[in-house]
Amino acid sequence: MLSATEHDALSLGELLQLRQKVGSKKFAQLKREDEDEGRPTPEKPEIRKRAHKKRPREVTSKRKVSVLRDSAVAKPRTRDPRFDDLSGAYNEEVFKHSYDFVNNIRADEMEQLKGDLKKCKDEKQKAKLVALVNRLSNEEKTRQTKLSRQKLKAESRKAALKNIREGKNPYFAKRSELRKTELRDKFKKLKQEGKVDKYIEKKRKKNTQKDRKLL
């Protein structure tokens, strides 16, 4: 076997003659062996002996990090409490009772806006305040109407359950009947406040505008 120094000292012609003499396969094997001799011997990992056979073996924490390691970090899972069973079932009555304070805050804001509107002298700012007051007023009217309808439905359901307990046939009011009762209560309230004529005039103007659009 040639050493690395002897191998480097041979000329190209001498190497070709050696290859023809021993064969290509043997020549390649000798070349690899010569190259391996010149390489440093890799250090073997230190294996620590156990102080006692019943004790666990000590393992070093100095380990090489793999180049192919998974660097992806798991994303935190988010959940929407509106559609998650962990948040419990939705109960409208409990929700209204828990967040009833919001209506008081809106009422205070409405009074504040009306006060600002009286003091405001800038026409652009005044127009914005008027639009905001009207929007909040319409939202409050819609909320009151919804509460009134829910109250009528609850009373109708309560009367039907009472008939069932008494052995009578239950009667559930139709939507048209609930609507008539709602209008009756509304006119009764307007009459008490003295706003019936104003309401009728407003409805008349609204119907007139609808008729004009149809023409």
Side-chain angles (χ1 to χ4, degrees):
M1 183 185 300
L2 295 174
S3 63
T5 306
E6 293 174 346
H7 183 276
D8 295 338
L10 292 176
S11 64
L12 181 60
E14 291 173 338
L15 289 173
L16 290 174
Q17 291 178 2
L18 180 61
R19 180 178 180 182
Q20 291 176 355
K21 184 177 180 180
V22 299
S24 299
K25 188 175 181 180
K26 183 68 174 177
F27 180 79
Q29 182 180 356
L30 292 173
K31 189 176 181 181
R32 282 198 302 271
E33 291 177 355
D34 291 340
E35 291 175 352
D36 292 340
E37 284 184 358
R39 293 176 182 173
T41 305
E43 296 181 2
K44 295 183 179 180
E46 181 184 357
I47 301 176
R48 300 185 180 183
K49 295 183 179 180
R50 290 180 290 182
H52 193 274
K53 63 179 181 179
K54 292 185 178 181
R55 292 183 182 178
R57 188 185 301 277
E58 293 183 12
V59 181
T60 178
S61 61
K62 297 180 181 180
R63 295 182 179 275
K64 293 183 179 180
V65 180
S66 175
V67 180
L68 303 176
R69 69 185 186 278
D70 187 9
S71 60
V73 180
K75 296 182 179 179
R77 292 184 61 186
T78 57
R79 66 183 188 90
D80 193 333
R82 298 174 299 173
F83 310 108
D84 199 327
D85 294 337
L86 295 175
S87 301
Y90 173 69
N91 188 319
E92 188 173 1
E93 293 299 325
V94 174
F95 180 83
K96 287 191 297 184
H97 179 74
S98 300
Y99 292 93
D100 189 56
F101 67 93
V102 177
N103 299 322
N104 299 329
I105 295 175
R106 287 179 178 174
D108 295 339
E109 289 179 349
M110 176 66 78
E111 294 299 324
Q112 181 67 33
L113 287 172
K114 288 180 179 179
D116 295 341
L117 184 59
K118 291 179 180 180
K119 298 176 184 178
C120 185
K121 296 181 180 180
D122 187 358
E123 293 299 328
K124 291 184 178 180
Q125 186 65 22
K126 192 173 183 180
K128 291 181 180 180
L129 289 173
V130 169
L132 184 57
V133 168
N134 290 337
R135 182 172 64 83
L136 293 176
S137 298
N138 292 333
E139 289 178 356
E140 181 61 23
K141 289 178 182 178
T142 302
R143 190 181 71 85
Q144 292 294 339
T145 302
K146 185 178 179 180
L147 289 175
S148 178
R149 290 176 182 174
Q150 290 176 346
K151 184 178 179 181
L152 290 174
K153 288 181 181 179
E155 290 176 354
S156 176
R157 194 180 300 111
K158 186 177 180 180
L161 292 175
K162 182 180 179 182
N163 291 339
I164 292 174
R165 286 194 295 267
E166 293 176 356
K168 301 177 182 179
N169 292 328
Y171 177 75
F172 295 93
K174 299 179 181 179
R175 185 178 298 178
S176 58
E177 295 174 344
L178 293 174
R179 179 63 177 165
K180 289 179 181 179
T181 305
E182 181 184 350
L183 289 173
R184 193 184 307 117
D185 294 343
K186 187 174 183 178
F187 269 96
K188 185 178 179 180
K189 184 179 180 180
L190 290 171
K191 189 175 180 180
Q192 292 175 351
E193 296 175 352
K195 298 180 180 179
V196 176
D197 295 336
K198 185 177 180 180
Y199 176 78
I200 294 175
E201 181 64 21
K202 186 177 180 180
K203 292 291 291 185
R204 185 187 65 78
K205 288 181 179 180
K206 190 174 182 180
N207 292 332
T208 303
Q209 290 177 355
K210 286 183 179 180
D211 294 339
R212 287 177 180 175
K213 289 180 180 180
L214 294 174
L215 294 177

